[in-house]
Amino acid sequence: MTADQIKDNFDKIRLDIANAEKASGRESGSVTLCAVSKFHPAESVLAAMDSGQFLFGENRVQEAYSKFAEINTLRPGKAQLHIIGSLQLNKVKKSVEIASCIQSVDREDLLKEIEKHAAKLNKMIDIFLEIHTGEESKSGYEGENELMFSLQNLSSGLYPHIRATGLMTMAPFSADEKLVRKSFSSLRELKEKVNSRFPELPIKELSMGMSGDYKIAIEEGSTMVRIGTALFGEREYNKPSDGN
């Protein structure tokens, strides 16, 4: 995909987001676009940056590490990277090095590993807690007890280099709008419960909605949508996995 095509796609999606905000009675600019650049080359990310996009999401740590090392050499301090894919413990070190936020935190041992590496770097890192709300998703906190245990540890200062700033989910891959909407509304309701119980934690973001369902997500209160295909085109799924 050419740089001009990428720019046109970003212009279209930004307009669609603005229209969805307006239709939902949301404040203009209340929804942030996270451009998912997995399986797309550095050149595509640079084209996106030329169109005014600076927040990117990557699923695969090894790919992100090499890609954004190149990007940060060419455009120092410009790109902001979120890790949005299911994260293995042996990928945490590189994730903490390159990302400003890890959106896919779904268990206590992952929090411990993030804290360990962030402490070594003396780096404060943001996280979103991923919640399992769709049957197809294999990641995310499934039980509320486990989630509340992690939130209590975050609240007590057990992880001083971690700042919990949001919740994240993936809706089921379904044509049934009711199922998709229920996934998003349940995350919004959970955020309200978490904010009430842990008002000291800065959990403000709701990361939900992708290329196929982001308009529904915005209607249900999303503050961040993760969009890839509608911006960069189809991904090259035959690329080898790096195990994350």
Side-chain angles (χ1 to χ4, degrees):
M1 185 170 287
T2 68
D4 285 342
Q5 288 173 318
I6 290 173
K7 182 182 183 303
D8 288 345
N9 287 344
F10 272 91
D11 289 344
K12 178 183 182 301
I13 293 298
R14 289 186 185 115
L15 180 60
D16 285 348
I17 290 172
N19 288 337
E21 288 172 338
K22 185 176 181 180
S24 304
R26 303 278 301 277
E27 183 179 346
S28 177
S30 60
V31 179
T32 300
L33 173 60
C34 178
V36 180
S37 47
K38 180 181 79 168
F39 290 160
H40 295 289
E43 289 78 14
S44 294
V45 174
L46 293 170
M49 293 174 72
D50 288 339
S51 79
Q53 179 67 29
F54 298 100
L55 173 59
F56 298 92
E58 289 274 343
N59 296 59
R60 302 196 171 205
V61 177
Q62 196 65 36
E63 176 192 349
Y65 193 86
S66 58
K67 183 190 304 181
F68 279 83
E70 178 183 350
I71 290 164
N72 289 331
T73 298
L74 296 170
R75 309 275 180 89
K78 297 292 186 181
Q80 183 182 358
L81 176 64
H82 286 195
I83 298 298
I84 62 174
S86 180
L87 190 57
Q88 298 172 3
L89 294 182
N90 65 353
K91 303 292 184 180
V92 170
K93 182 177 184 290
K94 285 190 173 181
S95 298
V96 171
E97 287 178 12
I98 60 170
S100 62
C101 178
I102 298 173
Q103 290 200 23
S104 48
V105 175
D106 61 358
R107 58 197 188 278
E108 191 65 20
D109 62 347
L110 189 53
L111 281 167
K112 293 176 182 176
E113 194 72 7
I114 292 170
E115 171 62 31
K116 180 177 78 174
H117 291 291
K120 288 179 180 178
L121 293 173
N122 193 27
K123 176 180 180 177
M124 179 65 72
I125 188 162
D126 290 345
I127 64 157
F128 294 178
L129 297 152
E130 182 176 2
I131 313 301
H132 180 94
T133 63
E135 290 305 313
E136 287 82 0
S137 174
K138 296 179 181 178
S139 56
Y141 284 92
E142 292 196 36
E144 196 168 299
N145 288 340
E146 290 84 354
L147 172 65
M148 293 301 172
F149 180 75
S150 290
L151 287 166
Q152 183 59 55
N153 285 339
L154 287 159
S155 174
S156 70
L158 185 61
Y159 306 120
H161 295 86
I162 297 175
R163 181 170 46 224
T165 58
L167 303 180
M168 185 267 262
T169 198
M170 291 180 62
F173 295 102
S174 172
D176 187 339
E177 184 178 317
K178 289 183 179 179
L179 281 178
V180 174
R181 193 174 294 276
K182 182 180 178 182
S183 171
F184 295 147
S185 64
S186 66
L187 191 72
R188 184 190 69 245
E189 291 163 3
L190 179 60
K191 176 182 172 292
E192 292 168 359
K193 185 174 184 178
V194 167
N195 289 157
S196 176
R197 186 164 173 181
F198 300 97
E200 67 283 0
L201 293 177
I203 295 178
K204 307 298 182 187
E205 301 287 353
L206 279 176
S207 176
M208 56 188 196
M210 299 190 293
S211 288
D213 55 24
Y214 68 91
K215 293 179 184 178
I216 299 173
I218 291 172
E219 290 175 9
E220 293 298 333
S222 175
T223 67
M224 182 178 293
V225 292
R226 309 181 305 274
I227 300 178
T229 303
L231 295 170
F232 295 109
E234 292 295 332
R235 297 168 184 154
E236 298 175 35
Y237 288 102
N238 59 343
K239 289 283 185 79
S241 170
D242 69 349
N244 194 52

